[in-house]
Amino acid sequence: MRFANGSNNNEARFHECYVQLRRNAKNAALFGPGALPFIRGISSESAPTPIQPQPSSLHHDSLESFLKYAREASLSPKSTTYVGTRYEYLCLSALVRLGFTLTRTGGRSDHGIDLLGHWQLPSLPFPLPVVMQCKALKSKAGPNLVRELEGAFVGAPRGWKGENVVGVLCAPREATKGVMEAIRILGRPAMWIMIEDHQDHGRVRQMVWNERVGEIGAEGVGVQIRYLPSQGQENVEKEVVLTWKGSIWEPRHVRDHRAEAADHSNG
């Protein structure tokens, strides 16, 4: 397990073919840093464009718009709806820099799915479909949550079905040994992401995935902890980052946004 403290039918077939090519090449000891360009027909240009899910609410689609809506609707911050929805948007925004593009879709008959979308990795020319459950837990997590995730796979909408869909559990608690073992033996691509509530934005503190995630595209992608600038020595802030070929990796649009922000501040 890797550890640190959309799509349409054509896309699904495309990805299954790509995964099989990876497995065949790996078995033949051919898949290495220079092997991918020689897999004919597989490129970011030829990969189908993922479909985007429809948001579940007409009133909000981000944390900022939800907080505004909650104030106008006099929604109690202690209500289950407020706490759950707010945490879902925290997860949605926190995972952008790790390559996730997500839409909040939770509602009636959602089979526990809170967020739908895709995960772009540096090791793949196209993103992986993702179904995600967000648990605003106040107590220790148990392996029963992983069993609930199996229901999300079964109830996922068209475009998010198949053996190459990644199931993700997000919670503000670390994965216990029981949770990690349940993820390891699940038999489907699955991961646990710990996302803390940090002053109205989410911070990723732990990321664990099983071997199936590696098999379908995350092989070679690393996970490490980055320590953030702090004014004092106490309570040093840290967050999870992804690495690729020995360097910290972020999606291009995240890097571009940071560069634009830096230019604006310097200007």
Side-chain angles (χ1 to χ4, degrees):
M1 292 179 73
R2 181 69 61 188
F3 172 72
N5 219 33
S7 60
N8 52 30
N9 290 337
N10 288 335
E11 180 189 356
R13 287 194 293 269
F14 181 93
H15 187 247
E16 289 171 3
C17 175
Y18 178 78
V19 169
Q20 189 59 51
L21 286 170
R22 283 178 62 100
R23 289 172 177 167
N24 292 344
K26 182 178 179 181
N27 292 339
L30 294 175
F31 191 81
L36 183 58
F38 299 99
I39 300 178
R40 189 179 302 275
I42 304 296
S43 69
S44 57
E45 288 76 19
S46 62
T49 302
I51 61 174
Q52 298 301 319
Q54 293 297 313
S56 59
S57 175
L58 299 175
H59 305 289
H60 48 80
D61 59 4
S62 65
L63 179 60
E64 182 180 7
S65 60
F66 169 69
L67 294 178
K68 181 176 182 294
Y69 167 77
R71 289 193 297 270
E72 293 174 350
S74 299
L75 186 62
S76 171
K78 296 182 179 180
S79 69
T80 302
T81 299
Y82 183 100
V83 172
T85 304
R86 180 177 176 277
Y87 187 68
E88 290 162 11
Y89 280 128
L90 282 175
C91 294
L92 185 153
S93 60
L95 292 171
V96 169
R97 65 175 184 79
L98 296 181
F100 289 85
T101 302
L102 301 164
T103 300
R104 180 178 175 272
T105 59
R108 293 182 179 179
S109 303
D110 61 5
H111 296 275
I113 299 172
D114 299 309
L115 305 176
L116 276 177
H118 297 84
W119 186 26
Q120 182 64 65
L121 290 168
S123 53
L124 289 175
F126 52 86
L128 296 171
V130 171
V131 296
M132 189 173 296
Q133 294 183 331
C134 303
K135 308 290 186 180
L137 302 175
K138 294 184 179 180
S139 57
K140 185 169 65 173
N144 61 298
L145 297 179
V146 181
R147 291 191 292 272
E148 291 179 16
L149 184 61
E150 294 188 69
F153 283 112
V154 174
R158 184 178 179 182
W160 281 267
K161 289 185 179 293
E163 65 174 18
N164 302 316
V165 177
V166 182
V168 183
L169 281 167
C170 291
R173 302 279 179 171
E174 288 188 354
T176 61
K177 290 183 179 180
V179 166
M180 288 191 285
E181 177 61 15
I183 289 176
R184 186 186 69 82
I185 66 175
L186 182 58
R188 292 177 179 266
M191 67 170 67
W192 178 276
I193 304 177
M194 175 187 176
I195 301 181
E196 287 185 336
D197 183 349
H198 184 78
Q199 299 176 0
D200 266 347
H201 73 271
R203 180 162 291 169
V204 181
R205 294 291 299 274
Q206 183 190 47
M207 200 169 184
V208 183
W209 66 70
N210 61 13
E211 290 184 1
R212 286 288 292 118
V213 177
E215 290 173 359
I216 65 172
E219 185 176 352
V221 178
V223 182
Q224 72 179 43
I225 296 295
R226 172 168 62 186
Y227 292 89
L228 303 173
S230 177
Q231 296 180 350
Q233 296 299 318
E234 296 183 0
N235 300 322
V236 176
E237 298 294 338
K238 55 187 179 181
E239 64 182 2
V240 162
V241 294
L242 297 180
T243 62
W244 176 246
K245 297 182 178 180
S247 301
I248 293 176
W249 175 85
E250 288 180 327
R252 178 178 297 176
H253 68 275
V254 174
R255 299 195 304 268
D256 291 346
H257 178 75
R258 182 180 292 109
E260 291 176 4
D263 291 342
H264 180 74
S265 62
N266 291 334

